[in-house]
Amino acid sequence: MERRRETLVGLVVVLGIAVGVVGTIWLQGGWGRDRVTLRAASLSAGQLVAGASVKFRGVAVGSVESVTVVPSGEAVMIEMSVRPDLAIPPEAAVLVAPESFFGDWQAEIITRGEYRAQPLLEYPEEGVLPGVALPDFSRLTATADQIAGRLTTISERFEIAFTEETAMNLKNMIDNLGVISDDLSTIVSQQATRFDELAVGVSESASELAAAAKAARTTIERVDGMLAGTDLETALGNARESLANLKTLTGDMNVGVADMRAAAQQASATMSRLEGLMARAETGEGLLGRLVGDAELAEEAVQAVDNLNSLIADIRENPRRYLNFSIF
């Protein structure tokens, strides 16, 4: 009797366990319900395993059937089964991320515009959703540890570099920058004044150029008027006659220049002879030299000239005394 009772208790326990397992599977969309299979490709699956939850907008809609590496080894293929009544968005994608802090992972169906931190893997096979996997917490912790170490190093270097002397140098540099700023302001003011003066000069030059252009235009108009009121052929004839006269005058000037050149040559010869006479007179040669060198002879020559002048005067006064003409 007791043995039969134990057998009955065992059957009840086994039946309860079976009912619990079947109910759980049923509630999770297992046997007896249609399922839709989705496939997604990602560069990494993180800690995702078969049986993990598939969620859409935070609601569990299925489970992961398998996680395998494609034959080429360039991606991970994730197969999922979801409810048949689920409306998948046209731009759907799969985000593989931790579900909790206890190591559980999930595959979440998202739209392409919801996640832009990392690029989605576009797998060339048709019907495969693009996917991306977030780094797990261990990687984030290691990265945070590296960042903390680098921040510590930077802080130590900053403490070494930023001393009291550095602060004073920075203060002096800021003061110098203030002085330089004042000097630059003064220079800018001076240059602004010079630019104003230059602008005034440029304006005056422009006015003068405008006046010159106006005068040139007036002159051109006058020339045009003169050309319009004068016979061009007559003007050309007058110009030709003027050129001929100028050519004749040039020829006369050339002849005059030649005569002047000949006169200059004769004057040069005369001066040469005079210089020769003066040289001989200085040495006492010739009559002139004797007159210059002998005072008595010079006196006699002067007296002879006076007598000759007296004789000429007497002949002019009494010509009959010296000239007697008789016809018969």
Side-chain angles (χ1 to χ4, degrees):
M1 187 70 180
E2 293 180 359
R3 184 176 180 182
R4 186 177 179 181
R5 186 180 297 175
E6 292 177 358
T7 303
L8 183 60
V9 171
L11 290 174
V12 171
V13 171
V14 171
L15 183 60
I17 294 173
V19 170
V21 171
V22 171
T24 302
I25 295 174
W26 177 265
L27 291 176
Q28 292 182 354
W31 300 308
R33 302 184 64 182
D34 295 334
R35 309 291 287 182
V36 176
T37 301
L38 296 178
R39 300 173 67 198
S42 174
L43 291 176
S44 173
Q47 301 297 325
L48 187 68
V49 295
S53 177
V54 177
K55 292 185 178 181
F56 178 67
R57 301 188 185 281
V59 179
V61 294
S63 61
V64 177
E65 296 294 333
S66 64
V67 179
T68 58
V69 180
V70 298
S72 62
E74 60 183 0
V76 175
M77 188 64 67
I78 303 171
E79 292 189 2
M80 302 166 288
S81 61
V82 297
R83 295 187 329 209
D85 58 343
L86 181 63
I88 304 297
E91 295 292 329
V94 175
L95 174 64
V96 179
E99 183 179 11
S100 65
F101 289 99
F102 302 103
D104 297 331
W105 281 62
Q106 67 179 9
E108 184 178 1
I109 299 174
I110 61 174
T111 59
R112 296 172 187 258
E114 293 180 3
Y115 184 78
R116 299 181 181 275
Q118 296 180 6
L120 298 170
L121 176 62
E122 299 288 347
Y123 198 71
E125 185 176 346
E126 185 178 359
V128 178
L129 301 177
V132 63
L134 294 180
D136 56 5
F137 290 109
S138 60
R139 294 183 180 178
L140 293 176
T141 303
T143 304
D145 187 23
Q146 292 178 358
I147 294 173
R150 293 176 181 177
L151 289 176
T152 302
T153 303
I154 293 173
S155 177
E156 292 176 353
R157 293 178 179 178
F158 184 78
E159 290 178 357
I160 294 173
F162 194 78
T163 60
E164 183 177 358
E165 183 180 359
T166 305
M168 293 300 298
N169 292 333
L170 288 175
K171 179 179 178 301
N172 294 331
M173 184 178 66
I174 293 172
D175 294 338
N176 294 332
L177 287 177
V179 174
I180 293 172
S181 177
D182 295 336
D183 294 340
L184 287 176
S185 177
T186 303
I187 293 173
V188 169
S189 300
Q190 294 176 356
Q191 294 300 324
T193 303
R194 294 181 180 177
F195 278 128
D196 293 338
E197 295 176 355
L198 180 61
V200 173
V202 170
S203 178
E204 294 177 354
S205 300
S207 300
E208 293 177 356
L209 287 175
K214 185 176 181 181
R217 182 179 300 170
T218 304
T219 304
I220 292 173
E221 291 176 354
R222 291 179 180 177
V223 171
D224 290 338
M226 293 174 63
L227 291 176
T230 305
D231 189 1
L232 183 59
E233 185 175 358
T234 303
L236 292 175
N238 294 333
R240 190 178 296 109
E241 184 177 357
S242 299
L243 290 175
N245 295 333
L246 181 60
K247 183 176 181 181
T248 303
L249 178 61
T250 304
D252 295 340
M253 291 179 64
N254 291 332
V255 173
V257 170
D259 294 339
M260 291 176 64
R261 186 179 294 109
Q265 292 177 355
Q266 292 179 1
S268 178
T270 303
M271 291 298 296
S272 299
R273 293 177 181 178
L274 183 59
E275 289 178 358
L277 290 175
M278 293 299 296
R280 293 178 63 184
E282 290 178 358
T283 57
E285 297 179 0
L287 179 60
L288 183 60
R290 293 175 59 189
L291 290 175
V292 173
D294 191 351
E296 184 178 356
L297 182 59
E299 184 67 25
E300 291 178 357
V302 171
Q303 187 176 358
V305 171
D306 291 339
N307 293 332
L308 182 60
N309 289 331
S310 299
L311 178 61
I312 293 172
D314 188 45
I315 291 173
R316 289 178 179 176
E317 292 178 358
N318 302 306
R320 293 182 178 181
R321 180 183 301 177
Y322 300 97
L323 298 175
N324 188 9
F325 295 95
S326 178
I327 300 175
F328 301 99

